[in-house]
Amino acid sequence: MSDWEEDWDNGDSKATSKPYNKRNNAKDNSISNRSDESGRHRSSENRAPIRYPQAGEKRSNGQRHKHSEKIEVPSDLVGMLIGRGGANIQRIQNDYNVRVDLDKESGTATINGNTEQNVKDAYNDIEHHLNNGPGSRYNSKDGSSGHQSNAIYNFQLKGRNNKPGDTDDIEMDPSGVIDWEALNKKAKKERAARWSKLPELRKDFYNEDPEVANLTPREVARLREENNNITVSRVFQQENVSENIPNPVWKFEQCFSAYPDLLEEIYKQDFRKPSPIQSQAWPILLKGEDMIGIAQTGTGKTLAFLLPAMIHTEYQLTPRSQRKGPNVLVLAPTRELALQIEKEVNKYSFRGMKAVCVYGGGNRREQISVVKGGVEIIICTPGRLNDLIEAEVIDVTSITYLILDEADRMLDMGFEPQIRKVLLDIRPDRQTVMTSATWPPGVRRLAQSYMSNPIQVCVGSLDLAATHTVKQVIEIMDDGDKFYKIREFVRNMGKDDKAIVFCGKKTRADDLSSDLTLEGYMCACIHGSREQSDREQAIADITSGHIKLLIATDVASRGLDIEDITHVINFDFPRNIEEYVHRVGRTGRAGRSGTSISFITREDWGVAKELISILEEADQEVPIDLRNMAERFKSMKDRRANESSKFNDRDGNSGSRGYRGGGGAGGRGRRDRY
């Protein structure tokens, strides 16, 4: 299990159903906050898993019910009635306080309950699902399946108190054909009515400095080129619409002179001038535009969106004391990044604004207490956010400024469903900021769906590249030699050196940490299975200098902003080249230089070609053995493609045996501990 999967297990996925457990025929109770008849929320921790009886089996919990009804269930509709992972039948039992026993042999469902009305309501619910299932007599004649009817049925119900059969809102002719156009118009009208009740939103707080406004196009182009070749454009350009992009700034006063108390906080940090991303992002965000920031880690992206967020929050038309909830929401992929952003927020004291970091693994009760006490800024991971939204602790309808930080990483980790769910619950006229180190198709689709004519600010090239302030060293060796190499490195570390050593697996990180400790070298270890308190302590120790060596998995490849890391060592090369770039970015931060050392084995030959491109782009030395490795991998692929083609020509079907890109012809090969 990867580190991000472990983060989910530790509490970051409560809004997402887990797979159906076939062993005990029960659905894992990760969905919290069902409601009983009184409307009170019932925690999944207090609800025993529901077990569906097998054919001919009776429940034996000793409970008797006063009322019972049976309904025939065709064999081809049993699965639909149960639902994915048992979700549908569990919903019926919870909603109507009944028990449903399925007998597959006789093809019946027995509904047992204490009140006649509950049993009748559950019966109607089940009948509705059966009548609208595939192949039922109520399927629409245009070929649309019963799932569409179910979808529109669920869409039209106005709350959990509606009972099946309350279908007056569904536009359907006698033949069963649904008027989708009418329903879409009605949905659009209802959404507009919902958002019209919210207070008016102000987004433009930018007064352009005359010195900035008077720049000529040539001077603007020169400033952007000098600032690490910034490129700016409306990424989804609309026809006959001017780009109207603000000019960059080069002084803090040009953006924040109207906010002297915030400007004073900036001066306290001893910054000399805005970073490249800040110089262009601040005018855009203060003007109220949606923005996509594409820049490498360690370039000041957090401050680029944070200071405009504070101004946006303070100067809304509705006073802060009269608002019903927070204004700023920051979504981050990992706990470490979320905590890092919270730390950055706390550096700037502006008008008494409060922030809270909400993440799985933290003290849930304490987080809820802080949120209920009143905050302006919420920094969170997607899973815990959805958990607290469903628990009605957080109401995101008050959010007017949304940041999706490290969006590419969140999509890589599988958080897209949670992100889309949150985006639908936030007012559509919000201001949205998205930051990313890369610009993959998934991030582009998300931006196109949920952002309003955004401006993209790209620092450097859109092509994947490692920071040029880091010297990248490649060492090719056998897997069994890695430990001796790392021990030699640690033995020769200087007084001011700090290093992060990245391992591919949690067990590998634990083993390496234990063995180095036994050798007498102080180090800490961080990965997804560690307790949150241990993870935070490890980061605090490496930041303060109490220890000089941190052993980590990719849970630390993003979000760790420790300025004085001098070395990054890839004990195991990462699973993709994007993670390599992010690991390298842990050093060489804040204008400093750093060194990255990567141990490459024969099992890593699948990434050799991409690694060469990264090294050449940064003008680094490329070992001849690495080039040979890339050539051998290409030859292997060509050879197997030819073999597969010949096999297909001979037998008339696909006979490709495939290959393991990262594992060589013999799979993982050596079974050494290191």
Side-chain angles (χ1 to χ4, degrees):
M1 183 181 289
S2 63
D3 289 308
W4 60 267
E5 288 173 313
E6 193 65 37
D7 280 346
W8 277 12
D9 288 343
N10 287 339
D12 271 353
S13 63
K14 292 196 175 182
T16 304
S17 301
K18 293 187 178 179
Y20 189 67
N21 187 339
K22 296 182 179 178
R23 183 173 59 185
N24 61 9
N25 213 21
K27 183 178 182 290
D28 185 279
N29 281 320
S30 63
I31 302 180
S32 59
N33 306 304
R34 298 284 187 188
S35 298
D36 59 20
E37 288 184 312
S38 66
R40 293 173 299 183
H41 288 283
R42 294 185 296 168
S43 170
S44 61
E45 296 174 359
N46 300 322
R47 187 174 67 248
I50 296 172
R51 182 177 181 274
Y52 307 113
Q54 301 301 310
E57 180 183 346
K58 294 184 178 180
R59 293 182 182 263
S60 58
N61 58 4
Q63 182 180 358
R64 293 192 168 200
H65 293 92
K66 298 178 182 179
H67 301 276
S68 179
E69 283 279 359
K70 288 189 177 182
I71 185 170
E72 292 186 8
V73 182
S75 59
D76 58 335
L77 297 181
V78 170
M80 186 195 71
L81 175 59
I82 292 175
R84 187 174 182 181
N88 190 48
I89 199 166
Q90 183 172 335
R91 177 190 63 78
I92 292 170
Q93 294 182 122
N94 287 337
D95 282 358
Y96 305 109
N97 196 22
V98 297
R99 190 174 67 208
V100 180
D101 295 336
L102 286 175
D103 190 332
K104 296 181 182 178
E105 286 187 357
S106 63
T108 61
T110 303
I111 309 165
N112 299 296
N114 289 323
T115 68
E116 183 178 1
Q117 186 61 44
N118 283 1
V119 173
K120 183 178 178 180
D121 290 341
Y123 184 97
N124 290 337
D125 194 323
I126 293 173
E127 185 179 42
H128 175 84
H129 278 81
L130 297 179
N131 286 340
N132 289 278
S136 76
R137 61 184 182 276
Y138 294 118
N139 260 355
S140 53
K141 292 182 179 180
D142 62 354
S144 61
S145 72
H147 292 298
Q148 279 187 315
S149 297
N150 284 339
I152 200 66
Y153 168 79
N154 291 328
F155 171 77
Q156 288 296 332
L157 292 184
K158 297 183 182 300
R160 295 180 67 95
N161 292 328
N162 289 68
K163 300 296 185 289
D166 296 346
T167 56
D168 296 338
D169 290 336
I170 300 181
E171 304 292 339
M172 184 183 297
D173 65 25
S175 66
V177 177
I178 297 171
D179 188 345
W180 291 102
E181 184 178 356
L183 285 174
N184 286 331
K185 287 181 180 178
K186 188 170 185 178
K188 186 176 181 180
K189 183 178 178 180
E190 289 182 354
R191 282 196 299 269
R194 176 192 179 193
W195 297 119
S196 66
K197 300 174 184 177
L198 294 176
E200 184 181 351
L201 177 60
R202 182 188 174 195
K203 294 196 286 188
D204 189 352
F205 304 93
Y206 188 50
N207 296 315
E208 191 171 35
D209 188 279
E211 194 176 10
V212 177
N214 294 330
L215 289 172
T216 65
R218 180 175 293 182
E219 289 172 329
V220 170
R222 178 181 56 80
L223 273 173
R224 288 172 177 162
E225 185 177 359
E226 290 175 353
N227 264 333
N228 204 359
N229 194 27
I230 294 174
T231 56
V232 191
S233 66
R234 297 274 181 182
V235 66
F236 308 118
Q237 181 62 45
Q238 302 174 0
E239 291 185 10
N240 303 320
V241 177
S242 172
E243 285 200 332
N244 192 26
I245 297 174
N247 293 336
V249 300
W250 59 95
K251 299 176 185 175
F252 296 114
E253 297 82 2
Q254 291 167 341
C255 275
F256 304 111
S257 59
Y259 315 104
D261 45 352
L262 185 58
L263 192 60
E264 187 64 30
E265 293 297 319
I266 296 172
Y267 290 150
K268 289 178 183 178
Q269 306 302 319
D270 292 329
F271 294 132
R272 291 180 299 168
K273 64 176 184 176
S275 72
I277 184 71
Q278 293 164 1
S279 69
Q280 185 63 75
W282 281 336
I284 291 172
L285 295 178
L286 287 172
K287 195 176 179 183
E289 299 275 5
D290 284 8
M291 191 194 81
I292 303 165
I294 310 293
Q296 297 169 352
T297 56
T299 53
K301 285 185 290 184
T302 302
L303 205 60
F305 64 69
L306 179 61
L307 299 188
M310 290 180 168
I311 292 171
H312 171 100
T313 301
E314 176 62 23
Y315 294 99
Q316 287 303 314
L317 300 174
T318 305
R320 279 165 50 189
S321 59
Q322 298 178 20
R323 297 174 206 166
K324 295 181 180 180
N327 282 111
V328 180
L329 176 64
V330 185
L331 278 174
T334 65
R335 309 171 193 178
E336 279 69 31
L337 180 54
L339 289 166
Q340 183 63 48
I341 296 170
E342 181 191 36
K343 181 180 177 183
E344 198 71 18
V345 172
N346 292 333
K347 289 181 181 178
Y348 299 87
S349 175
F350 183 61
R351 308 291 175 88
M353 285 188 186
K354 297 178 183 178
V356 62
C357 188
V358 173
Y359 57 94
N363 188 313
R364 189 174 186 271
R365 183 175 297 178
E366 185 177 311
Q367 292 171 4
I368 290 174
S369 176
V370 175
V371 171
K372 288 185 174 180
V375 294
E376 285 76 29
I377 302 171
I378 293 182
I379 305 123
C380 57
T381 51
R384 177 54 63 89
L385 174 66
N386 274 312
D387 171 32
L388 296 186
I389 290 174
E390 290 195 3
E392 298 183 359
V393 173
I394 296 176
D395 181 4
V396 293
T397 58
S398 65
I399 297 297
T400 55
Y401 192 103
L402 172 67
I403 301 108
L404 304 177
D405 199 17
E406 301 279 12
D408 52 345
R409 176 67 165 166
M410 283 196 283
L411 296 192
D412 288 344
M413 294 168 68
F415 282 129
E416 185 169 358
Q418 289 95 324
I419 294 170
R420 288 184 179 270
K421 181 178 182 296
V422 170
L423 289 170
L424 289 172
D425 291 334
I426 300 177
R427 57 190 291 170
D429 60 344
R430 66 184 176 264
Q431 185 172 359
T432 307
V433 186
M434 181 184 291
T435 75
S436 182
T438 56
W439 185 233
V443 175
R444 184 181 180 89
R445 286 194 302 270
L446 195 67
Q448 195 163 14
S449 300
Y450 295 103
M451 300 185 78
S452 175
N453 196 20
I455 298 174
Q456 185 184 76
V457 178
C458 180
V459 179
S461 170
L462 274 176
D463 296 329
L464 194 64
T467 176
H468 289 202
T469 59
V470 177
K471 179 183 178 182
Q472 300 175 60
V473 178
I474 305 299
E475 298 187 12
I476 298 175
M477 63 185 68
D478 289 332
D479 195 78
D481 295 333
K482 289 181 178 180
F483 177 73
Y484 305 105
K485 197 71 178 178
I486 196 72
R487 187 173 60 181
E488 179 184 350
F489 169 83
V490 175
R491 184 183 297 142
N492 296 323
M493 283 179 68
K495 181 180 65 174
D496 297 325
D497 287 346
K498 280 187 186 180
I500 300 178
V501 181
F502 285 102
C503 297
K505 294 183 178 180
K506 291 175 277 191
T507 53
R508 182 92 138 177
D510 282 332
D511 288 342
L512 181 59
S513 174
S514 297
D515 288 348
L516 286 174
T517 302
L518 290 173
E519 295 267 348
Y521 304 109
M522 286 186 64
C523 62
C525 182
I526 177 174
H527 57 65
S529 291
R530 292 267 172 165
E531 291 290 334
Q532 184 61 32
S533 57
D534 293 337
R535 291 165 67 166
E536 293 177 18
Q537 187 62 52
I539 294 172
D541 287 344
I542 187 74
T543 302
S544 66
H546 181 68
I547 60 167
K548 302 290 187 179
L549 192 65
L550 180 66
I551 315 297
T553 56
D554 279 331
V555 75
S557 66
R558 306 194 192 196
L560 285 189
D561 187 14
I562 306 170
E563 294 181 354
D564 55 350
I565 295 294
T566 59
H567 292 79
V568 164
I569 300 175
N570 290 307
F571 190 84
D572 296 316
F573 201 82
R575 56 182 176 268
N576 57 57
I577 203 67
E578 288 81 7
E579 284 304 320
Y580 170 78
V581 170
H582 286 291
R583 287 182 182 183
V584 169
R586 294 309 99 201
T587 184
R589 301 176 73 85
R592 294 178 171 86
S593 60
T595 302
S596 166
I597 303 173
S598 299
F599 298 162
I600 304 292
T601 70
R602 60 176 184 169
E603 297 173 3
D604 303 314
W605 65 338
V607 295
K609 181 180 178 181
E610 293 176 304
L611 178 57
I612 290 171
S613 298
I614 296 292
L615 294 171
E616 288 178 339
E617 191 279 333
D619 198 25
Q620 302 288 318
E621 180 182 350
V622 181
I624 187 64
D625 287 344
L626 187 65
R627 295 190 187 276
N628 292 338
M629 186 180 287
E631 286 296 323
R632 288 197 302 272
F633 182 74
K634 182 178 182 300
S635 299
M636 182 273 293
K637 285 203 301 182
D638 293 343
R639 183 176 69 253
R640 292 195 173 182
N642 291 333
E643 290 174 357
S644 176
S645 177
K646 291 177 182 178
F647 190 72
N648 289 342
D649 291 342
R650 184 175 70 248
D651 290 355
N653 55 20
S654 176
S656 175
R657 292 167 292 175
Y659 62 87
R660 296 181 62 180
R668 294 300 294 174
R670 300 177 64 118
R671 305 178 68 88
D672 300 322
R673 186 177 184 187
Y674 293 108

